Amino acid sequence: MWVEELRSARQRKLIGKEILFFPEVDSTNRQAYDRALGGAREGLVLLAEGQSRGKGRLGRVWESPPGVNLHASIILRPPVSPAVAPQIMLLAGVAGANALARASGLDSRIKWPNDIYIHGKKVAGILSEIKAEGPRIQFIILGVGVNVNWRKEEIPADLQEMATSLRAEAGREFSRALVAGEIFEELEREYALFLQEGFSPRLREEWNRLSWINRKWATITMMERKFEGQVQGLDADGALLLMDREGNTQRFIAGDVSLRI
Ligand code: BT5
């Protein structure tokens, strides 16, 4: 089974050293959160063949049929302040985009803050949930959903325009063990560097290189307010910069972005 292949590839690593596998679960993020509250160790991964209540951000739904895609949640316990949680989100995007590029050979880009796009469509989403008490993060759950072997014609009508899969773009099937292995490996590498260096110039440049939205005109929605401008990329702290027509620049650490065609 593919999970066994993945387990043996990860046995000497941090992320995925222990993998809990569920044929079906409500949401790997919900399960991971409960286990993290119960003391589960850093690096624990929860994987499910199918989710009945897959979660997106802000109460949205993650739709994905059983058996073809990847649904994974990873528990991290970075010894840092909650203020840097958005930077960990950014490193997860870099790791995810690089991992999907390595696994598929396809040009994989980040759409701020948490989507991975191939050829202009969403192939993966990342949902991070954080528990913090006082000055320290207790844990972060990184939930990763990747459309791996979803057939183009089986993507539901409401997602056809904006969603894709590795298979739909490459015209071949992929090993989920391999795709997950690349994601965990890239994440482990970026995470180790982050713990040493923080949000480094290298990470910022890497994010900007992978960004699908830099220099494009976009609308950013944050707490029901809309801001329009040209995306200037990340600043030294990891905030996204948007310059409006008057040349004023605003910084965003959270929100949603849509592009103006
Ligand atoms: C995300 O939210 O993109 C984060 C998705 C995280 C899913 C993983 S699966 C494993 C783990 N366990 C969970 O329960 N969740 C995580 P957001 O940016 O809010 O995007 C959600 C939106 O993307 C939806 O409102 C749809 O428009 C669209 N969408 C839903 N399912 C999709 C899919 N399979 N592929 C592409 N887009 C999708």
Side-chain angles (χ1 to χ4, degrees):
M1 225 240 294
W2 68 277
V3 180
E4 286 314 318
E5 190 185 329
L6 183 60
R7 280 192 177 117
S8 68
R10 303 302 303 168
Q11 61 191 353
R12 287 190 186 76
K13 309 283 183 166
L14 171 71
I15 295 175
K17 185 182 177 64
E18 194 186 344
I19 298 177
L20 298 179
F21 173 74
F22 304 85
E24 153 112 21
V25 80
D26 53 349
S27 149
T28 55
N29 259 48
R30 280 194 194 91
Q31 295 289 331
Y33 199 94
D34 288 348
R35 281 182 168 71
L37 281 177
R41 45 172 280 192
E42 174 164 82
L44 179 69
V45 168
L46 285 82
L47 276 184
E49 278 288 350
Q51 299 185 114
S52 55
R53 286 170 62 215
K55 284 205 286 185
R57 293 180 306 136
L58 307 168
R60 293 190 284 244
V61 174
W62 188 250
E63 288 184 62
S64 173
V68 290
N69 295 331
L70 207 58
H71 320 101
S73 296
I74 299 140
I75 298 176
L76 295 178
R77 294 186 181 277
V80 295
S81 100
V84 307
Q87 299 177 343
I88 294 181
M89 192 64 217
L90 296 169
L91 86 77
V94 165
N98 278 331
L100 294 191
R102 285 173 67 101
S104 70
L106 299 167
D107 186 27
S108 309
R109 300 300 192 94
I110 304 166
K111 183 181 169 223
W112 185 85
N114 69 328
D115 296 343
I116 300 173
Y117 269 50
I118 291 179
H119 303 153
K121 289 185 168 186
K122 181 163 171 173
V123 72
I126 305 172
L127 169 68
S128 65
E129 296 183 278
I130 170 173
K131 170 113 173 80
E133 235 170 45
R136 280 287 158 103
I137 291 178
Q138 270 189 319
F139 58 80
I140 297 185
I141 311 294
L142 287 181
V144 187
V146 185
N147 303 329
V148 181
N149 290 321
W150 220 358
R151 289 173 189 273
K152 198 174 172 48
E153 59 276 17
E154 280 165 13
I155 298 178
D158 60 324
L159 295 179
Q160 277 284 343
E161 288 287 298
M162 47 105 46
T164 192
S165 69
L166 293 181
R167 180 179 185 162
E169 297 305 319
R172 68 178 176 93
E173 282 193 68
F174 289 86
S175 149
R176 283 182 289 164
L178 191 134
V179 174
E182 293 284 6
I183 291 172
F184 299 166
E185 188 62 23
E186 287 293 325
L187 204 52
E188 185 155 335
R189 206 166 57 82
E190 288 294 348
Y191 182 57
L193 286 170
F194 183 81
L195 293 183
Q196 285 167 22
E197 307 172 343
F199 188 72
S200 63
R202 179 206 60 86
L203 179 55
R204 174 192 178 196
E205 275 163 33
E206 186 67 352
W207 194 97
N208 280 328
R209 181 182 72 79
L210 291 166
S211 171
W212 187 63
I213 62 169
N214 282 15
R215 288 173 299 282
K216 291 183 175 148
W217 286 87
T219 303
I220 292 185
T221 310
M222 192 185 55
M223 299 201 282
E224 291 173 12
R225 282 186 67 193
K226 289 187 189 303
F227 303 84
E228 296 198 343
Q230 191 186 35
V231 177
Q232 308 289 310
L234 297 184
D235 72 7
D237 297 321
L240 189 76
L241 301 174
L242 191 73
M243 190 171 75
D244 68 17
R245 290 196 185 279
E246 284 76 51
N248 304 313
T249 301
Q250 270 193 299
R251 304 170 76 242
F252 296 87
I253 54 166
D256 270 315
V257 68
S258 67
L259 299 176
R260 299 215 323 246
I261 313 288

